[in-house]
Amino acid sequence: PTLIGILPYAGLKFYIYEELKRHVPEEHQNSVRMHLPCGALAGLFGQTFTYPLDVVRRQMQVENLQPMTSDGSNKRYKNTFDGLNTIVRTQGWRQLFAGLSINYIKIVPSVAIGFTVYESMKSWLRIPPRERSKPA
């Protein structure tokens, strides 16, 4: 469950960041004022889209701490997708986003700073930028 949440989050975060950067004029490409908001939005959207997977992962971890039932099992969910379906069916779809707003307080500035440092290090190490493709 952990990898199922981390891989889409990391991929989405980078994809969104690079897409946002593509729409920034060339003269602002190396500006910290450009990297911070693009990184913040990438973190915001990446976290929003993948947060339900985090909720399922946490609930699966907590269920392993619960005492065994009479049939010798403590498993509510067979897998991540069963967990998503069960949570929506029994607790409602809003439960998949419970705690997301508090998570934004941590994630948004963290990702914004992370991408700003990432771009600064690329510049400092003289790593050439990728060819810019034309928007479709």
Side-chain angles (χ1 to χ4, degrees), residues 24-40:
V24 173
E26 192 67 41
E27 63 270 12
H28 299 294
Q29 281 292 315
N30 292 324
S31 167
V32 169
R33 286 189 282 178
M34 184 278 303
H35 299 304
L36 284 172
C38 287

Side-chain angles (χ1 to χ4, degrees), residues 9 13-14 17 35-47 104-118:
Y9 171 67
K13 183 174 68 170
F14 271 95
Y17 178 74
H35 299 304
L36 284 172
C38 287
L41 287 171
L44 180 100
F45 288 121
Q47 187 65 32
Y104 285 151
I105 295 169
K106 173 184 79 170
I107 292 296
V108 171
S110 169
V111 175
I113 292 167
F115 274 117
T116 302
V117 170
Y118 167 74

Side-chain angles (χ1 to χ4, degrees), residues 72-104:
S73 168
N74 63 348
K75 303 281 185 212
R76 284 189 294 178
Y77 313 127
K78 295 177 196 136
N79 54 48
T80 302
F81 298 108
D82 179 51
L84 286 168
N85 287 330
T86 303
I87 290 170
V88 169
R89 197 168 61 273
T90 60
Q91 301 172 41
W93 66 268
R94 287 183 167 186
Q95 184 61 34
L96 293 175
F97 297 95
L100 179 60
S101 58
I102 293 296
N103 214 33
Y104 285 151

